[in-house]
Amino acid sequence: LTEFMAKTLQAVRGMNDILPAETSAWQYLEDTLRDVVHAYGYSEIRLPLLEKTELFKRSIGEVTDIVEKEMYTFDDRNGDSLTLRPEGTASCVRACLQHGLLHNQVQRLWYMGPMFRHERPQKGRYRQFHQVGVESFGMPGPDIDAEMIFMTARMWERLGLAGASLQINSLGTQAARANYRNALVDYLQAHADALDEDSTRRLSSNPLRILDSKNPAMQELIAAAPRLPDYLDEESAEHFAGFCALLDAAGINYEINPRLVRGLDYYSKTVFEWVTDQLGAQGTICAGGRYDGLVEYLGGTATPAFGFALGLERLLALLMSADAKLPANEPHIYMVVSGAAATERGLVLADELRDAVPGLRLQVNCSGGSFKSQFKRADRSGADFALVIGDEEVVQKTAVLKPLRNKADQETVTHSVLAERVGNLLSGKLDG
Ligand code: HAM
């Protein structure tokens, strides 16, 4: 049994429990992000955690890190190859096509939930992590690109997060990127002896990703490489200029990073990342861009699309280090009950209070205990008040309200006015 406990009573590496002490911060983050996406008219879509492996291979790209080495893929009992979703865009497009959501209409959609990638776990990088993803379909103009950036900026503002900086780039159309790719490969081949192992491997499969290399020994070579912006087609250049102009008009600061290429193959034209230097190596809190080719590539009618995803673990780490004021979820009141009659009356009285005082969080002491131990629990619960009922109070139809967080006197209140008194004492502390 000890061996079982040591090995099996451990969550899978890189997959975290989110404990009760942390969930109110998660809820605050999720609620705030939900408010913001709804403020821009987006609707939620809920997608399965599993998809056919082929969907991710085709969407994300066969020669990306995700597909080559990070997917949780297995055969189910029918022998179908399934994969735990490493991201949400592919599933979202699949669902839109399957249900005809893209026929002659635009869509603004968002989703939230866990994603799975078999990466090397470290601070800010996990094997199960959570994203909020936002996707739009049917809008080709740079206005929607810019509006999505405004939305992310509003998220940081609502969360009180300062210090994230915006990097943008344009990858151009497929044709422009192919031209650029050729020029880059020519250049890198001419310097083949300076390439590290990873880059040599990528040279034939995914040369643009070499620009992303973090290897210090490669930086000089990369800096002197042909630049993507010099190969942009006219349409993409115009789109990018329009995008930048809209950001300028709204006063949003950004940096054009010609080496920003993203790790998924489906992007075209605009790409962006919000990066912070407060999280160490895993500083990208939000990333996305335009993927005008994906819907058609998966078998639908050509449909322009733009989207992004936020990493919730990273946002939460920022929130915690920013000492953000998170809403409380402790009970307001802990009810101490002594004796069978008090328990019987107390349970009902508690529900009457919940009915009468919207937003009230009230915990009733269940399964007994001495006054002393019940008060200990009351204190530990974080409640502001104990509400005490014993035999005497049942007979008198009263309860004793005792402040737990200051030295104010306790008071005896009759049941008929208890809800009113509680409402007054807690005014300003009740949500909703
Ligand atoms: P991504 O860049 O792969 O894009 O992931 C988006 C964000 O998810 C990252 O910036 C990061 O904050 C978070 N993230 C990714 N991997 C991990 C990990 N292992 N641990 C913790 N956080 C992580 C996408 O997933 C695209 N689907 C975004 C998109 C939507 N593009 C268009 N629409």
Side-chain angles (χ1 to χ4, degrees):
L1 185 65
T2 36
E3 195 184 316
F4 169 83
M5 286 173 63
K7 290 205 178 127
T8 312
L9 290 191
Q10 292 284 335
V12 174
R13 187 164 130 82
M15 307 206 177
N16 299 315
D17 300 308
I18 300 172
L19 299 176
E22 304 161 307
T23 44
S24 67
W26 277 84
Q27 287 163 7
Y28 167 71
L29 177 61
E30 292 160 359
D31 291 348
T32 307
L33 297 175
R34 190 187 287 115
D35 277 359
V36 175
V37 291
H38 285 168
Y40 287 79
Y42 284 71
S43 305
E44 187 183 8
I45 183 165
R46 298 193 181 189
L47 303 158
L49 300 192
L50 283 172
E51 297 277 355
K52 310 243 171 67
T53 303
E54 214 38 55
L55 175 71
F56 296 120
K57 283 194 179 166
R58 191 166 172 86
S59 307
I60 297 168
E62 294 267 5
V63 282
T64 54
D65 283 351
I66 295 178
V67 170
E68 277 187 340
K69 48 190 189 199
E70 294 171 2
M71 296 205 301
Y72 283 90
T73 297
F74 63 96
D75 288 346
D76 77 356
R77 288 173 190 278
N78 303 327
D80 296 327
S81 180
L82 304 181
T83 295
L84 274 168
R85 63 180 186 191
E87 59 109 46
T89 308
S91 317
C92 189
V93 172
R94 194 268 308 140
C96 284
L97 289 176
Q98 181 178 340
H99 302 287
L101 302 186
L102 304 180
H103 286 313
N104 304 318
Q105 52 190 323
V106 301
Q107 289 290 348
R108 289 177 152 93
L109 304 172
W110 71 276
Y111 49 83
M112 169 158 69
M115 307 290 161
F116 304 85
R117 297 183 193 176
H118 195 275
E119 298 192 77
R120 195 170 54 77
Q122 55 177 277
K123 183 171 174 275
R125 194 207 269 162
Y126 309 100
R127 291 181 174 174
Q128 174 174 326
F129 60 97
H130 296 79
Q131 286 185 343
V132 162
V134 184
E135 316 284 1
S136 69
F137 298 96
M139 291 166 277
D143 48 357
I144 184 71
D145 307 21
E147 193 194 42
M148 287 253 199
I149 301 291
F150 296 0
M151 187 195 304
T152 55
R154 181 175 293 263
M155 288 169 172
W156 316 150
E157 191 188 303
R158 284 282 309 273
L159 293 167
L161 301 178
S165 61
L166 175 63
Q167 304 204 346
I168 62 173
N169 192 21
S170 176
L171 300 182
T173 57
Q174 297 265 303
R177 204 149 71 251
N179 283 341
Y180 173 66
R181 188 189 145 116
N182 291 338
L184 184 65
V185 170
D186 286 348
Y187 166 82
L188 293 171
Q189 256 160 2
H191 299 84
D193 47 343
L195 296 178
D196 63 11
E197 196 185 321
D198 223 25
S199 305
T200 307
R201 192 176 55 81
R202 284 185 165 139
L203 187 57
S204 54
S205 57
N206 202 352
L208 263 62
R209 288 287 284 167
I210 297 176
L211 301 176
D212 243 6
S213 166
K214 304 279 185 294
N215 183 353
M218 297 271 305
Q219 296 312 306
E220 206 178 316
L221 184 71
I222 291 169
R227 288 160 33 94
L228 221 165
D230 300 331
Y231 288 78
L232 270 197
D233 53 289
E234 201 176 319
E235 184 199 335
S236 301
E238 214 171 274
H239 185 102
F240 194 57
F243 172 59
C244 292
L246 289 166
L247 297 182
D248 291 336
I252 291 184
N253 291 323
Y254 57 88
E255 183 197 331
I256 299 176
N257 176 359
R259 282 156 53 183
L260 180 67
V261 293
R262 307 281 298 126
L264 305 93
D265 280 356
Y266 49 62
Y267 293 106
S268 56
K269 294 187 178 164
T270 315
V271 290
F272 75 94
E273 291 189 0
W274 282 97
V275 186
T276 166
D277 56 12
Q278 295 163 51
L279 293 177
Q282 307 303 319
T284 306
I285 51 174
C286 169
R290 185 160 278 283
Y291 50 101
D292 287 346
L294 183 61
V295 173
E296 189 177 20
Y297 190 60
L298 291 179
T301 321
T303 305
F306 189 98
F308 66 85
L310 306 144
L312 298 192
E313 280 78 3
R314 295 181 191 177
L315 281 178
L316 203 76
L318 276 186
L319 261 185
M320 299 323 270
S321 64
D323 262 339
K325 210 181 148 308
L326 301 171
N329 68 343
E330 296 86 33
H332 302 106
I333 296 180
Y334 190 96
M335 188 184 276
V336 170
V337 286
S338 166
T343 299
E344 196 180 303
R345 184 67 194 103
L347 284 170
V348 174
L349 185 66
D351 266 342
E352 289 166 3
L353 284 175
R354 293 188 189 101
D355 285 339
V357 185
L360 176 66
R361 294 189 298 270
L362 188 162
Q363 214 173 79
V364 179
N365 187 87
C366 287
S367 299
S370 65
F371 263 121
K372 196 174 156 203
S373 68
Q374 291 197 42
F375 268 104
K376 221 183 235 165
R377 285 184 212 150
D379 195 50
R380 216 179 287 150
S381 76
D384 292 323
F385 295 92
L387 185 63
V388 189
I389 306 179
D391 291 337
E392 177 66 19
E393 283 76 22
V394 173
V395 174
Q396 302 294 332
K397 296 192 169 53
T398 59
V400 176
L401 257 173
K402 183 176 164 34
L404 296 173
R405 307 293 151 198
N406 58 42
K407 296 247 169 336
D409 289 338
Q410 62 180 45
E411 50 186 299
T412 301
V413 186
T414 57
H415 292 178
S416 57
V417 294
L418 187 58
E420 195 188 337
R421 185 66 189 127
V422 164
N424 286 337
L425 282 171
L426 294 175
S427 76
K429 292 192 160 191
L430 300 163
D431 357 288

